[in-house]
Amino acid sequence: MKKYAYFPGCSLEKMALSYHKSSLETTRVLGVELEELEDWNCCGATTYFHLDEILANTLVARNLAIAEKQGLDFVAPCSACYKNAYFTNTYMKEDADLAEHINYALEADDLQLSGDLNVHHLIDVFANEVGPEEIKKKVTNPLKELRIAPYYGCQIVRPRKNGENVEDPQFFEELIRAMGANPIDFAYKTRCCGGSLLLTNRPAALDMIRHLLQNAQNSGADVIATACPLCQVNLEAYQTQVNEEFGTDFSTPVLYFTQLMGLALGIAPKKLGIGSELVSTLPVLSQFLKKEAR
Amino acid sequence: MADKPTFSQEISNLMYAAHGSPLNECIQCGTCSGSCPAVEFMDQTPRRLIGMINADLKEDVIDTNTYWVCASCYQCTVRCPSRIDIAGAMYAVKRYSMWNKTYADDLVGPVFSETFMKTIARSGRSYEPILAPTYIFGFGAKEFFQEVQGATKMMLKGRIPVLPPRIKRLKNFQNMIKRIIPMGDEE
Ligand code: SF4
Ligand code: SF4
């Protein structure tokens, strides 16, 4: 059983509890162990970077150093946390001066970081570490004919990390096929959800959310699948406001990919946090909500 | 005697952990502006902002809302033919304006960033409800009402925490921060 140091991040503690639960449930069935990083701190999302770059990298480095001490690779389910962790880890190798500053600060907590560990987004564990073929073998409740919009958002694919396809990635679609469902052709799949603009420039954020919901609806999505707490909240919790603001009538459920994966793997909906949505999933999911538990 | 750095160099220097090209390699092609999902809400487009930085128009750059409207989505960065990290430059201008306290007074972005930072220095983890009141008054009454509605819905669904989580080794954590940014023992 492959084991990872799992960094839930602040939003998963409560706001995205269903993501947390469904991540642990699905990986368990797939034979992957996520061990929560001990005594982790907030990685600063995008906000620290407004203030001081060395500090921002140090906060991220502390979490990475704890994983390195445990001898495990690092996994983050939140795209912003993942992007921060990925780049700080890379800079440790590329920028000796920055690395020295960071390690000096980490000493205050008896830690140090070499940057030798691998950093993954949770979806990468499913798409590349386990792989769609293995997942398919474990699917007992295929989500037949469910049309799922694969919403990548920004930071899983951008900035470019390792020569990957940033314009038209396909790994999310493959995971959706592995669930037995249909990935729809979603043109805006890597367009930004507005991120934290919702707090700082609401008109801009609502406009960005509206564009995404419109594109998903036009493409015939039954449900939007996300891999990031911020994307999920922006797309789901603000649908009412978008509707009020623009006179639209969106009611598209937005679920974490792990929740949909969990259903396909035959896990009981309750264990996946299904039922705490603001936009009801019942109309589209009812036929897949089987009670018998795995 | 060394020449005073240009604004373009100052901003490039604030991007030390980024590995893009210097801003003065911009060819003004407009790919960044054409890719930007927030461009309609900016008073200067990303292309123009980079041009203004290179033209040393420091005050005019700081006066724009462009770098605060930027959502850090990196669409411009991955497409720039000159390999300039435009999103990184937006961060650098934010940092520049915050350390120099030169941003326009009615912006919510800087208040949010500072408050967020203080919360984390205190508890090690972010806690949204504590932040909310501090920046929320920057909005109008209508937005405030919408925010309350949104927050209440999330609370009712059990999705907003009631107590701020704290990390265990808080003292070490604070000492670590002080090794980067010297601060007194406030509060
Ligand atoms: S895409 Fe790059 S080269 Fe083109 S205008 Fe923007 S910053 Fe300049
Ligand atoms: S990173 Fe900022 S400037 Fe660049 S495309 Fe995204 S929102 Fe626009």
Side-chain angles (χ1 to χ4, degrees):
Chain A
M1 186 185 256
K2 175 123 195 197
K3 192 161 144 183
Y4 299 86
Y6 170 71
F7 172 71
C10 299
S11 37
L12 266 75
E13 288 203 317
K14 203 79 190 206
M15 205 151 85
L17 195 60
S18 55
Y19 194 14
H20 185 60
K21 283 181 171 176
S22 55
S23 299
L24 297 180
E25 286 294 329
T26 44
T27 46
R28 179 179 57 83
V29 171
L30 295 173
V32 170
E33 190 182 341
L34 301 181
E35 183 178 297
E36 184 166 336
L37 202 66
E38 65 88 28
D39 207 35
W40 52 270
N41 56 270
C42 171
C43 81
T46 56
T47 319
Y48 287 133
F49 291 85
H50 302 171
L51 286 136
D52 183 275
E53 207 171 20
I54 301 183
L55 176 62
N57 283 292
T58 304
L59 292 164
V60 177
R62 182 176 176 275
N63 293 324
L64 291 167
I66 296 170
E68 207 173 80
K69 203 174 182 176
Q70 296 173 331
L72 298 173
D73 284 345
F74 187 93
V75 173
C78 161
S79 299
C81 299
Y82 160 67
K83 186 219 88 188
N84 289 346
Y86 182 91
F87 284 100
T88 298
N89 195 45
T90 313
Y91 297 152
M92 293 307 286
K93 292 277 185 214
E94 288 178 357
D95 190 331
D97 186 46
L98 182 72
E100 198 186 315
H101 270 88
I102 289 176
N103 275 320
Y104 169 69
L106 289 178
E107 256 176 36
D109 197 18
D110 301 320
L111 292 166
Q112 59 163 345
L113 179 63
S114 71
D116 282 335
L117 76 174
N118 293 312
V119 173
H120 302 278
H121 188 284
L122 181 68
I123 197 167
D124 182 44
V125 172
F126 287 84
N128 298 310
E129 303 273 301
V130 180
E133 287 313 312
E134 282 308 303
I135 293 171
K136 236 179 257 170
K137 288 185 203 159
K138 302 219 162 106
V139 166
T140 55
N141 181 27
L143 307 180
K144 276 200 198 96
E145 279 158 45
L146 188 66
R147 286 164 308 192
I148 304 178
Y151 181 53
Y152 291 81
C154 305
Q155 300 185 336
I156 297 177
V157 285
R158 293 191 302 271
R160 196 177 270 104
K161 289 156 195 90
N162 224 335
E164 70 275 41
N165 184 350
V166 296
E167 294 292 346
D168 187 17
Q170 289 296 325
F171 59 86
F172 208 152
E173 280 86 339
E174 283 165 27
L175 287 179
I176 291 172
R177 278 184 209 107
M179 300 174 202
N182 286 339
I184 61 154
D185 202 355
F186 185 28
Y188 280 0
K189 66 187 182 182
T190 63
R191 193 183 148 113
C192 181
C193 74
S196 58
L197 275 189
L198 199 57
L199 302 174
T200 56
N201 191 317
R202 182 162 305 236
L206 289 181
D207 185 66
M208 287 156 85
I209 296 169
R210 174 185 65 127
H211 275 103
L212 279 168
L213 293 171
Q214 189 67 57
N215 188 244
Q217 191 179 63
N218 294 351
S219 321
D222 292 326
V223 51
I224 300 174
T226 74
C228 172
L230 197 55
C231 299
Q232 198 280 338
V233 169
N234 278 3
L235 290 181
E236 191 202 25
Y238 289 88
Q239 282 193 28
T240 332
Q241 283 177 35
V242 167
N243 287 341
E244 278 167 18
E245 198 72 28
F246 300 98
T248 46
D249 61 348
F250 298 119
S251 63
T252 309
V254 186
L255 288 174
Y256 294 104
F257 77 98
T258 42
Q259 293 181 289
L260 292 161
M261 175 82 66
L263 283 181
L265 294 172
I267 299 167
K270 206 162 159 257
K271 287 193 185 167
L272 302 166
I274 292 178
S276 65
E277 298 76 34
L278 303 173
V279 176
S280 173
T281 47
L282 273 180
V284 296
L285 287 188
S286 54
Q287 53 173 316
F288 306 113
L289 301 179
K290 295 183 184 160
K291 290 281 183 291
E292 78 269 28
R294 154 101 97 159
Chain B
M1 201 182 86
D3 287 331
K4 194 172 168 292
T6 62
F7 187 44
S8 178
Q9 285 161 345
E10 281 188 275
I11 294 299
S12 297
N13 287 342
L14 280 172
M15 297 165 64
Y16 44 87
H19 297 272
S21 310
L23 301 186
N24 61 19
E25 289 183 16
C26 170
I27 53 169
Q28 289 288 298
C29 68
T31 303
C32 47
S33 307
S35 304
C36 178
V39 68
E40 281 172 58
F41 296 86
M42 296 173 170
D43 36 47
Q44 299 292 345
T45 65
R47 174 190 68 82
R48 285 188 61 109
L49 198 82
I50 302 293
M52 286 161 69
I53 294 172
N54 289 337
D56 225 16
L57 300 171
K58 192 190 299 191
E59 277 79 34
D60 295 329
V61 169
I62 300 297
D63 277 346
T64 66
N65 71 353
T66 302
Y67 55 102
W68 288 113
V69 175
C70 168
S72 312
C73 77
Y74 297 92
Q75 193 61 264
C76 49
T77 299
V78 296
R79 288 186 179 161
C80 173
S82 304
R83 307 178 66 84
I84 292 168
D85 179 9
I86 302 119
M90 298 280 176
Y91 272 129
V93 179
K94 274 179 207 172
R95 281 200 288 275
Y96 185 92
S97 80
M98 287 189 65
W99 289 120
N100 295 285
K101 290 264 187 263
T102 42
Y103 48 84
D105 276 341
D106 56 345
L107 289 170
V108 186
V111 181
F112 175 65
S113 292
E114 284 190 350
T115 317
F116 191 78
M117 186 56 218
K118 282 190 190 137
T119 311
I120 292 161
R122 223 179 285 132
S123 75
R125 295 195 185 167
S126 91
Y127 176 58
E128 283 119 308
I130 282 187
L131 290 171
T134 322
Y135 60 80
I136 220 160
F137 295 109
F139 294 122
K142 185 173 168 220
E143 283 89 341
F144 178 68
F145 181 65
Q146 290 181 334
E147 184 64 31
V148 172
Q149 276 186 326
T152 314
K153 266 193 209 162
M154 303 251 270
M155 202 130 64
L156 290 175
K157 295 270 180 182
R159 283 167 57 174
I160 286 186
V162 181
L163 285 171
R166 272 187 176 261
I167 69 169
K168 285 182 237 138
R169 298 193 300 269
L170 189 59
K171 200 79 224 147
N172 287 359
F173 180 79
Q174 285 165 339
N175 288 338
M176 180 186 89
I177 293 180
K178 283 185 199 156
R179 283 185 169 205
I180 302 285
I181 297 183
M183 339 180 243
D185 285 302
E186 12 105 52
E187 288 142 273

